[in-house]
Amino acid sequence: MKIITVALCVLLLSSCDDTEAEVIDATEVFTEPKPDVKPELLVGDWVEPNPIDADELQGIELLKDGKARSINMETTQYSKWYITEGKLALIAKSIGIHTSSIDTTVYTIERLTDKELVLKDRDLTISYTKQ
């Protein structure tokens, strides 16, 4: 048993060397570049089909002064928006039965053009078109 222990120690010591390993930050390697966020592209009415009624549109109106308004959404009332670290933050009041809360959701901007806005929050992806 002592021979096996000594052999393992020798093997471990011989596998060590004095060279320093290069450490790579995995977030730099695997993170896709963020789109260039131009606030002026965000201003306007952004809509998507209503998941309950495909004949209706719902969405958000983003105003130049940082204010926001809901479009055809009774239970989510947007009030403000801003850009933080290349992401879109939306402040909204959620209205439920006998309850309400104000939340800020920060969305990753997956795509932004003059006609298309794709936002992502964890597993949720929302694809808007500009009206």
Side-chain angles (χ1 to χ4, degrees), residues 66-79:
K67 291 182 182 174
R69 295 190 188 120
S70 298
I71 299 171
N72 295 329
M73 298 172 71
E74 297 299 321
T75 59
T76 303
Q77 297 295 308
Y78 291 104
S79 60

Side-chain angles (χ1 to χ4, degrees), residues 23-38:
V23 178
I24 298 174
D25 183 1
T27 57
E28 290 179 11
V29 174
F30 297 106
T31 301
E32 293 183 24
K34 301 218 183 322
D36 185 23
V37 178
K38 297 177 181 164

